[in-house]
Amino acid sequence: ARSTRPRASPERAEPRAPSEPGPAASRAMAAPRSASEQRKQISVRGIAGLGDVAEVRKSFNRHLHFTLVKDRNVATPRDYFFALAHAVRDHLVGRWIRTQQRYYERDPKRIYYLSLEFYMGRTLQNTMVNLGMQNVCDEAIYQLGLDLEELEEIEEDAGLGNGGLGRLAACFLDSMATLGLAAYGYGIRYEFGIFNQKVVDGWQVEEADDWLRYGNPWEKARPEYMLPVHFYGRVEHTAEGVKWIDTQVVLAMPYDTPVPGYKNNTVNTMRLWSAKAPNDFNLQEFNVGDYIEAVLDRNLAENISRVLYPNDNFFEGKELRLKQEYFVVAATLQDIIRRFKSSNFGSRDPVRTCFETFPDKVAIQLNDTHPALSIPELMRILVDVEKMEWEKAWEVTKRTCAYTNHTVLPEALERWPVSMFEKLLPRHLEIVYTINQRHLDHVAALYPGDLDRLRRMSVIEEGDCKRINMAHLCVIGSHAVNGVARIHSEIVKNSVFKDFYEMEPEKFQNKTNGITPRRWLLLCNPGLAGVIAEKIGEDFVTDLSQLKKLLDFVDDEVFIRDVAKVKQENKLKFSAYLEEKYKVKINPSSMFDVHVKRIHEYKRQLLNCLHIITLYNRMRKDPSKSFVPRTVMIGGKAAPGYHMAKMIIKLITSIGDVVNNDPYVGDRLKVIFLENYRVSFAEKVIPAADLSQQISTAGTEASGTGNMKFMLNGALTIGTMDGANVEMAEEAGEENLFIFGMRVEDVEALDKQGYNAREYYERLPELRQAIDQLSSGFFSPRDPGCFRDVVNMLLNHDRFKVFADYQAYMECQGRVDQLYRKPREWTKKVIKNIASSGKFSSDRTITEYAREIWGVAPSAVTIPPPNIPRE
C-alpha cells in the first residue's frame, strides 16, 4: 500500500527555500498519487498523532550517531532499522512509564496472562500503527533517502511460539492494552524461538532461530528484579512448618517489552524471564579446584530459557520442559506477590500483608496446562511461606486462577511422570497429592461407591508409570474453565471433562477466540482498511462489529469494484514477492488457494493433496476442457520429531515438482510450498488469498484463528463444521462459506460403526487413481517407495478419516470453481464475509474474559500523553 520510492543516500535533509515545493509536493509532481493511494495514506492511519517529520528525522539521526555509533558512510540497512526502531520506541517510553504510574495510583485489579508461548512477530510497524505515527515515519524515512518497507523487512520475527496458542496470546496482549486493562503477559525469553524451516530436496530441514543475534531494540532488561527459582532438594516437616531445603537455585532475569494499545496512550508490559546461574553455582567443584568446570557448568542452569519446544498439540515429557514450566511460574508468582504487597510506584515496602483480598486484586489466566504449576506453587507460598491455613489458601488459589483449554487431542494432554516430578519438585508433589486427596474425598461424598468415577477424576493416574494429569489439576484449582469456540466448549463439557462438568457445571464457559484487527487488517492490509474506512468511518478499528454496516454496500458497484481491486493489488504484490523469493512464475489472475497452518494429520493437508492430484488428473485426461486456473499454496512447519508431518511436506513438494513442470497443465495449476511460514509471512499471504482452507476433521480443531484472519481480509472459506468455522458460518450465513463433510455427530457415528478406508478406495475411481499414483511412485520416480508410509496410514490407520470426506470435498471445490468464474458474485460473498467478521475481534473475546472471568471492566479512557501534565 505504500508507494515504492526512489532511493537516495540517507542523510540529514537540507533546509529548503520557502518557495520550493516540499518533498510530498515534488513527489506528487513526479508521480501523482491516485485517489486510492491518497485514501490509503490518510483515511485510517490518520494524520500524525505524535511528533512531526522533522522531529522523527532528528531522532533517527541522533540514534544512528549516539546509540549505534555510526555515520552514514559505514551504516548498514540494519543500522537504519535500529535507528528507526529506537526513534519509535522513544515515543513509547513516556507512555509506558505513565501507564504504570497510573496503575500504582489507582490500584486496579491486575490481570496476569501466563503463557509458555507469545508469538509476537515483528514490532516496529505494529507500534507505529498503534501510536498513529506511520505516516510521519514514512515521510521522514523517505526524506532521508530510505524506504520504510525495506527497513521493516529487516526486523527479525519474535517467534516465541509454535502457532495458534502463542499467536492468540499476542493478540490478547494487544486487546488488553487497547481496552485499558491493567494486564501483564508473563512467559520465557527463549534465546532460540521456533526453528527456521528450510526445504532441501523436498524435505524439511530445521535451522536454529537466533533471533537475538543482533540485539532486540524493544526489550529492557531489569536485573534489579532478578528472582531465585528453586529445583530438586528435599522436604522437611518441622514444628514451624514445612521447609523445602538443599535446593538448586537458578536466577530468573526479567526482560520487559512494551505493549501499546491503539491510540489510547496505554502501554502495558510483557515480562519474559531468562535463566541465569547464580555466582555461587557449583561452588563445590570450585572448592576442589576445578574452577573452569564450575564456570562451564553454569550452562546447565541457563539452558532453561535456551529454546522453545517446537511441538504443537503434542506433549513431550522432557525434564527440561517441566523445568521451563516451573521456572516461569515460580518467577512470575514471586513478582505478582511483590506487586500485590507494595502498591506504591517504585516502592518495595509491603503495604499489604493479608492475602484474603488477593483474588480481588489479582487474576491469573492459565493459557492451556503449561502454566498449571501456578496452582501448587501458589498453595506452597500461601501455606509454607505466608502461613495460611490450607482451606483459606485453597479458596484464595481457586478464586485467583482460571484455565483455558486449547485442545481435545489426547496426545496433547500433559501427563507428567510422578517419578520425574518428585525428583524436580518434591514439595509440589506433596501439595498435588493433598489437593487430589481432598478432591477425591469430595467426589466420593457426592457419588458414594462410584469407584470408576474416582479413577476417572483423579489427578494421579495409576498404572505402570504413575502420572499427574495436569488438565485435571487445572480444572480442580480454577474457578473458571473455558474452551475457545462454542463447539469446542461443548466437547469439553460432554467428553474431555464430562465428570467435572457434571459436578460443577457453573465453572465451565465458552470464550470464542479472536484476532486483533490492528495487526490483521490495518497493518497487513491497509488498502482494504482504507476502502472500508471510506464507507463507514474509522471506528471499526476498535469496534469491529461496525463492519456490519458494510452490508448496506453489498450491491454498490463502486464498492464491489474497489474491494476486488484491492485484492488484485495484494495478489500482484504477493506474486512479485514469491517470484523474487522462490523464482516461480505465478499467474496473478489465478485463484490463490491457500492452506497455511502447522503441518499435522488432523489439519488434513493430505485431503488438499488428494484434491490437487485429482484436479491434475482431470486436466491430463481432458486438456482442452476449460479449468479455473489455481495457484495452490500450502505452508507450515512440522514438529522435528513428527515423521508423518515431514512426509506430508515431502509429498506436497513432490506433487509440485510434477504438476509445475507438466506442459499439459501450463499455468492452470501451480503448487507452491511456502517455506518458513511465520507471523511476518502470514501478514503477506493472508491479504492475497482468495480461498482459505480450514478442513480439519470435525471435532478436532479447538477454534482456529487463521480462519478469522482470512475472513477479515476477504478470502472465502472452504471448511468443515469445526472450531470457529461453525460460528463464522452462523455470522455470515452458511451459504456464504463453502461448508462440506462430516459434522461431529457423523464422525462419532462413523467411529461406532468402524471407519473402513478401503471401502472408499474401492468405490471412488478418482480417489483410487490418486492413491495408486502415490503407491507406484508416479510423484517420486527416483524413489518409488517414498510415500509407502503415507498410503499405508491413509488406508489402514487414519484417525482423521481423510477418505470419508474426499467426495464431499471434491464436490465443494467444484462449487468454488463455479463461483470464481463469476467475479462479481464472488466479491459480493467476500463483502458479506468481511461484514460478518466483527465477532472475531480479540477485543470482544477479552471483554468477555474481563467481565465473566476476571471481574473487571474495560476502560475507554485515554491516558494523557507524556507532553501533557498529569491530572
Side-chain angles (χ1 to χ4, degrees):
R2 274 171 267 149
S3 50
T4 309
R5 295 162 162 175
R7 300 183 57 200
S9 61
E11 57 192 315
R12 198 181 299 275
E14 292 300 316
R16 53 175 194 273
S19 59
E20 279 181 64
S26 57
R27 264 204 322 280
M29 288 189 288
R33 281 181 171 160
S34 68
S36 69
E37 273 183 289
Q38 288 164 354
R39 182 177 63 230
K40 286 170 205 163
Q41 287 297 315
I42 294 165
S43 64
V44 169
R45 295 183 189 155
I47 308 300
L50 311 152
D52 58 20
V53 173
E55 190 269 332
V56 170
R57 254 190 6 244
K58 189 173 166 191
S59 182
F60 176 95
N61 283 323
R62 188 168 50 81
H63 279 295
L64 191 63
H65 188 81
F66 290 107
T67 309
L68 297 159
V69 196
K70 291 278 182 93
D71 69 14
R72 69 186 182 85
N73 300 307
V74 292
T76 64
R78 179 166 277 106
D79 294 318
Y80 298 140
F81 157 70
F82 272 98
L84 177 60
H86 281 103
V88 170
R89 180 176 172 272
D90 287 349
H91 287 282
L92 279 173
V93 169
R95 289 165 172 76
W96 196 7
I97 290 171
R98 183 163 277 196
T99 301
Q100 303 312 312
Q101 285 171 339
R102 186 183 180 89
Y103 292 161
Y104 275 93
E105 284 161 9
R106 313 241 159 158
D107 196 26
K109 183 171 185 178
R110 287 170 161 89
I111 314 305
Y112 296 100
Y113 196 81
L114 268 65
S115 180
L116 267 280
E117 301 183 19
F118 285 98
Y119 205 173
M120 302 300 284
R122 292 172 176 162
T123 297
L124 174 62
Q125 196 183 351
N126 186 69
T127 304
M128 293 189 300
V129 165
N130 278 13
L131 292 181
M133 60 185 299
Q134 199 168 8
N135 275 351
V136 172
C137 292
D138 195 7
E139 186 60 39
I141 291 303
Y142 173 75
Q143 290 182 10
L144 290 163
L146 297 166
D147 183 293
L148 182 58
E149 232 169 306
E150 284 177 20
L151 296 190
E152 287 166 356
E153 282 297 308
I154 291 168
E155 183 172 5
E156 302 275 348
D157 276 51
L160 308 186
N162 280 281
L165 175 133
R167 184 53 233 172
L168 184 80
C171 283
F172 279 5
L173 292 185
D174 179 90
S175 284
M176 289 189 278
T178 298
L179 292 167
L181 297 173
Y184 303 77
Y186 273 95
I188 293 179
R189 180 183 178 265
Y190 301 104
E191 204 174 307
F192 296 92
I194 186 68
F195 60 86
N196 285 319
Q197 179 192 55
K198 289 266 185 288
V199 176
V200 178
D201 193 24
W203 296 98
Q204 170 177 297
V205 176
E206 299 87 21
E207 288 183 353
D209 165 37
D210 192 3
W211 71 290
L212 291 168
R213 66 188 174 281
Y214 299 109
N216 174 3
W218 306 108
E219 67 182 10
K220 174 73 184 85
R222 302 277 191 201
E224 69 276 22
Y225 289 107
M226 194 133 65
L227 294 166
V229 175
H230 298 259
F231 294 100
Y232 305 110
R234 59 192 177 83
V235 181
E236 251 184 19
H237 292 262
T238 69
E240 295 87 61
V242 182
K243 296 200 169 105
W244 181 19
I245 56 171
D246 298 341
T247 55
Q248 277 189 20
V249 175
V250 175
L251 298 177
M253 158 92 104
Y255 286 80
D256 288 354
T257 300
V259 179
Y262 181 70
K263 292 188 177 176
N264 64 351
N265 296 325
T266 294
V267 181
N268 283 342
T269 303
M270 174 177 67
R271 177 162 282 186
L272 303 179
W273 301 102
S274 181
K276 300 262 173 248
N279 276 338
D280 59 357
F281 189 76
N282 270 350
L283 221 61
Q284 299 84 345
E285 266 137 296
F286 176 61
N287 288 342
V288 296
D290 202 343
Y291 165 70
I292 298 293
E293 200 57 40
V295 173
L296 295 181
D297 268 359
R298 295 169 65 91
N299 270 339
L300 298 174
E302 292 170 5
N303 278 341
I304 291 174
S305 56
R306 193 84 66 207
V307 63
L308 167 79
Y309 273 88
N311 293 318
D312 199 60
N313 280 301
F314 180 79
F315 170 60
E316 191 175 354
K318 295 276 171 48
E319 184 174 315
L320 179 59
R321 173 66 172 189
L322 184 57
K323 272 187 175 166
Q324 288 181 340
E325 293 185 356
Y326 181 63
F327 174 74
V328 69
V329 156
T332 300
L333 276 169
Q334 289 180 73
D335 219 30
I336 291 172
I337 286 167
R338 172 190 59 75
R339 205 176 279 120
F340 168 75
K341 285 182 170 180
S342 60
S343 65
N344 294 331
F345 193 54
S347 153
R348 303 184 81 161
D349 302 322
V351 292
R352 287 197 191 92
T353 48
C354 171
F355 276 84
E356 304 218 353
T357 61
F358 191 71
D360 304 324
K361 289 295 178 187
V362 172
I364 294 174
Q365 189 68 35
L366 309 176
N367 192 25
D368 216 345
T369 54
H370 313 141
L373 288 164
S374 300
I375 293 165
E377 173 66 2
L378 185 51
M379 284 300 288
R380 184 189 71 80
I381 293 168
L382 295 177
V383 174
D384 295 1
V385 181
E386 301 294 339
K387 308 296 182 195
M388 256 181 130
E389 291 169 21
W390 181 279
E391 282 78 9
K392 272 193 178 159
W394 183 241
E395 189 197 336
V396 166
T397 298
K398 265 180 80 166
R399 283 178 55 210
T400 302
C401 296
Y403 158 56
T404 301
N405 173 277
H406 279 278
T407 179
V408 298
L409 297 182
E411 64 267 33
L413 211 66
E414 288 199 297
R415 293 149 69 244
W416 289 104
V418 166
S419 53
M420 182 194 294
F421 205 97
E422 183 173 33
K423 184 177 82 159
L424 194 68
L425 302 167
R427 176 58 183 144
H428 295 76
L429 183 65
E430 291 184 351
I431 290 169
V432 169
Y433 269 126
T434 307
I435 290 170
N436 192 43
Q437 190 55 57
R438 287 169 174 255
H439 159 66
L440 292 180
D441 290 347
H442 179 54
V443 176
L446 288 174
Y447 305 94
D450 192 343
L451 294 179
D452 199 43
R453 184 182 289 264
L454 286 177
R455 181 189 55 74
R456 291 196 309 266
M457 293 182 76
S458 177
V459 176
I460 309 296
E461 296 179 354
E462 303 293 339
D464 304 339
C465 170
K466 263 190 172 175
R467 293 179 181 275
I468 301 174
N469 183 319
M470 301 305 273
H472 288 187
L473 180 62
C474 285
V475 174
I476 293 163
S478 298
H479 69 277
V481 175
N482 72 282
V484 289
R486 196 174 59 230
I487 185 175
H488 168 237
S489 296
E490 289 306 307
I491 292 169
V492 161
K493 292 192 296 197
N494 299 333
S495 65
V496 189
F497 300 131
K498 185 170 187 283
D499 295 312
F500 294 91
Y501 175 64
E502 284 172 7
M503 194 169 88
E504 295 181 285
E506 68 287 347
K507 226 183 223 194
F508 289 80
Q509 303 189 14
N510 173 55
K511 296 284 169 276
T512 299
N513 281 345
I515 58 173
T516 166
R518 271 73 62 184
R519 186 177 291 264
W520 297 113
L521 180 56
L522 228 59
L523 180 155
C524 72
N525 203 344
L528 181 60
V531 166
I532 292 170
E534 196 169 70
K535 285 293 182 208
I536 65 169
E538 299 176 20
D539 291 350
F540 69 89
V541 178
T542 50
D543 176 10
L544 207 61
S545 66
Q546 300 223 4
L547 292 178
K548 281 235 183 313
K549 294 177 185 172
L550 294 176
L551 291 172
D552 296 342
F553 303 101
V554 168
D555 295 308
D556 178 327
E557 295 303 326
V558 175
F559 188 57
I560 292 171
R561 194 189 63 225
D562 283 350
V563 169
K565 184 167 177 280
V566 165
K567 179 63 74 179
Q568 200 49 42
E569 286 169 357
N570 291 340
K571 288 172 73 172
L572 283 164
K573 188 174 178 185
F574 189 59
S575 301
Y577 174 80
L578 286 184
E579 207 164 311
E580 186 190 336
K581 192 113 178 107
Y582 298 118
K583 310 293 177 261
V584 279
K585 193 91 184 98
I586 286 176
N587 173 5
S589 61
S590 64
M591 181 201 303
F592 282 16
D593 170 347
V594 180
H595 196 177
V596 284
K597 47 190 77 253
R598 286 297 292 238
I599 308 291
H600 198 295
E601 286 164 84
Y602 90 85
K603 293 182 185 283
R604 297 205 295 191
Q605 285 91 354
L606 286 171
L607 184 56
N608 194 349
C609 288
L610 292 175
H611 171 247
I612 298 167
I613 294 171
T614 305
L615 211 51
Y616 171 70
N617 288 335
R618 288 176 183 175
M619 288 178 180
R620 297 265 310 180
K621 189 176 173 185
D622 193 354
S624 58
K625 193 177 162 196
S626 163
F627 288 90
V628 171
R630 274 190 194 237
T631 302
V632 183
M633 307 178 197
I634 306 177
K637 294 175 181 175
Y642 188 175
H643 169 68
M644 187 53 66
K646 290 189 148 182
M647 286 306 309
I648 290 168
I649 292 175
K650 176 63 174 170
L651 175 60
I652 296 161
T653 55
S654 301
I655 293 170
D657 288 343
V658 172
V659 171
N660 299 347
N661 294 304
D662 190 324
Y664 279 99
V665 172
D667 67 354
R668 291 181 297 175
L669 183 60
K670 284 275 182 275
V671 181
I672 296 169
F673 184 80
L674 300 174
E675 186 180 83
N676 203 32
Y677 184 64
R678 59 201 185 280
V679 176
S680 58
F681 201 164
E683 291 163 8
K684 294 179 176 65
V685 66
I686 290 170
D690 291 307
L691 186 69
S692 156
Q693 299 247 12
Q694 309 295 335
I695 58 177
S696 50
T697 313
T700 59
E701 184 74 89
S703 165
T705 49
N707 45 4
M708 302 168 185
K709 291 161 195 162
F710 283 102
M711 184 187 196
L712 181 60
N713 282 277
L716 297 186
T717 299
I718 183 167
T720 49
M721 275 300 205
D722 196 23
N725 292 1
V726 177
E727 288 159 83
M728 284 163 51
E730 192 177 283
E731 294 292 305
E734 206 172 309
E735 70 281 4
N736 292 310
L737 281 75
F738 298 100
I739 298 292
F740 72 92
M742 297 180 288
R743 313 274 163 134
V744 170
E745 50 277 18
D746 303 322
V747 175
E748 286 169 357
L750 190 54
D751 274 329
K752 282 203 177 75
Q753 75 170 64
Y755 167 63
N756 178 7
R758 286 187 182 275
E759 181 242 312
Y760 299 92
Y761 171 79
E762 302 295 348
R763 182 161 56 80
L764 303 168
E766 287 188 313
L767 174 61
R768 184 164 67 244
Q769 181 187 4
I771 294 300
D772 290 349
Q773 283 171 309
L774 292 181
S775 300
S776 67
F778 180 87
F779 292 102
S780 53
R782 285 184 300 174
D783 180 6
C786 184
F787 300 117
R788 196 184 301 114
D789 289 355
V790 177
V791 172
N792 178 39
M793 183 275 290
L794 285 171
L795 282 169
N796 301 314
H797 47 90
D798 174 13
R799 292 163 53 202
F800 303 107
K801 307 177 179 60
V802 169
F803 290 2
D805 272 341
Y806 169 81
Q807 194 170 7
Y809 180 58
M810 291 303 302
E811 287 165 6
C812 192
Q813 286 282 19
R815 298 202 303 278
V816 173
D817 280 348
Q818 281 170 0
L819 188 67
Y820 197 74
R821 290 177 188 275
K822 304 176 200 155
R824 186 173 172 277
E825 295 306 310
W826 180 279
T827 304
K828 283 177 72 168
K829 276 203 196 302
V830 163
I831 292 167
K832 286 176 188 170
N833 271 269
I834 295 169
S836 308
S837 58
K839 174 179 180 176
F840 305 107
S841 166
S842 48
D843 298 346
R844 188 267 317 149
T845 313
I846 288 297
T847 300
E848 289 180 13
Y849 273 99
R851 296 204 167 116
E852 295 161 30
I853 295 180
W854 304 330
V856 293
S859 153
V861 174
T862 298
I863 297 175
N867 55 329
I868 293 175
R870 292 160 69 207
E871 316 102 32

